[in-house]
Amino acid sequence: MRRTLFDEDHEAFRETIRAFIEAEVVPVYDEWFAAGQAPRDFYYKLAELGVFGIRVDEEYGGAGIDSYKFEAVLYEETARAGVAFGGSGVHVLLGLPYIKLLATDEQKKRYLPKFVSGEEMWAIAMTEPGTGSDLAGMKTTAKLSEDGTHYVLNGAKTFITGGVHADRMIVCARTAAPTKEDRRHGISLFVVDTKAEGYSVGRKLDKLGLKTSDTAELAFVDVKVPAEDLLGEENKGFYYLGHNLASERWGIAFGAYAQAKAAVRFAKQYVQERVVFGQPVAAFQNTKFELAACQAEVDAAEAVVDRATEALDAGELTPAEAASAKLFTTEVAHRVIDRCLQLHGGYGFMNEYPIARLYADNRVNRIYGGTSEIMKTIIAKDMGL
């Protein structure tokens, strides 16, 4: 079937990104993997390539292209090469939608030029120890000073991707107590300067996968946040989080599809080269059947993410549709990558092979951005159940 998602501009961008990965990432990726993060100066290279400014208006230094399709190309090309761009994904996929949706003109003038240039890397801090997917249960507080000039932030966050390198952190905090009618009431969003007094980065967390992304614990002790860095309206943070979760879940869904597609590529290459019992592994009927089944699942996942991408670009992707896409593609990727690793035999368990790293990286897709169980709850509710 002919794929219609991408045009000539996207394919030209793909060629540029593929060459960039081969020149700037592949030769040093093992060093990043061992260090547990990409170096900070790598993000300046991404900025120079224009990656951070694609969806940013031209007046702030961006390209002004209101489409997620270029990000989709990034997902496909990084997965194809068996690499990742560190924690930079949250900068664009998670940080930018909040700025575009909520920031005032004055805030955009302050935030976006440095966002595009990579001078300020962004991340978002939602999850807290003990709350997990229950964002309404957060305990971090932000209290307005008596003179109204600033908020005082106290609390802790965990599992924050991009948390080590971030220069600006969107922090979710309680500015009012929940009500009996709505426990989600009272959450607000703040843009916090990570160099502010009382802001501290705790442990860089040792994860099963995604080894090159910096994931950390954060703590806030009487951090003063200027009132002009309140993002959106006070106490409406939970609504904003829900609004932007569709694009976040699209990103996870597309990334999972790209990983599954890459896994089939890695396995196909391996079984054609690997010889056992006097013949290539690819010559065995079981190998052919396994890869054929995997390809069929990848084809289905591609159709799902392509449809979701078009809906997202049109501003029509609903929370339930995003949940459905995430649930389906992450479960497909789980099955496909596992079967492709099996075809590698013992070598599939070695980190020097990209399938092993892919296996570990993929596992979190069914957890972050809302677990598969949460996705099922959202879909069921949309069905009227």
Side-chain angles (χ1 to χ4, degrees), residues 102-147:
L102 304 174
T104 63
D105 289 342
E106 184 275 331
Q107 287 175 322
K108 289 178 180 178
K109 290 177 183 178
R110 285 194 290 123
Y111 299 153
L112 285 174
K114 293 180 179 180
F115 179 99
V116 172
S117 70
E119 185 178 345
E120 288 187 348
M121 295 299 295
W122 285 59
I124 184 166
M126 292 187 253
T127 306
E128 298 185 359
T131 62
S133 297
D134 182 20
L135 296 178
M138 68 177 62
K139 305 297 183 183
T140 297
T141 61
K143 296 183 178 180
L144 187 63
S145 62
E146 291 185 2
D147 61 6

Side-chain angles (χ1 to χ4, degrees), residues 6 10 13-14 69-78:
F6 302 119
H10 301 121
F13 180 68
R14 185 188 302 279
K69 292 181 182 180
F70 291 93
E71 287 171 50
V73 171
L74 288 172
Y75 283 122
E76 291 187 340
E77 290 305 307
T78 51

Side-chain angles (χ1 to χ4, degrees), residues 203-209 211 215:
R203 292 185 303 149
K204 181 166 72 70
L205 300 174
D206 184 15
K207 309 183 296 297
L208 171 67
K211 289 291 189 179
T215 304

Side-chain angles (χ1 to χ4, degrees), residues 282-318:
F284 293 95
Q285 185 182 64
N286 179 68
T287 303
K288 297 176 182 179
F289 281 6
E290 283 293 288
L291 282 177
C294 288
Q295 183 62 53
E297 291 219 74
V298 169
D299 287 345
E302 182 179 278
V304 168
V305 296
D306 284 6
R307 184 181 70 173
T309 303
E310 295 286 15
L312 182 63
D313 273 6
E316 298 172 354
L317 185 66
T318 69

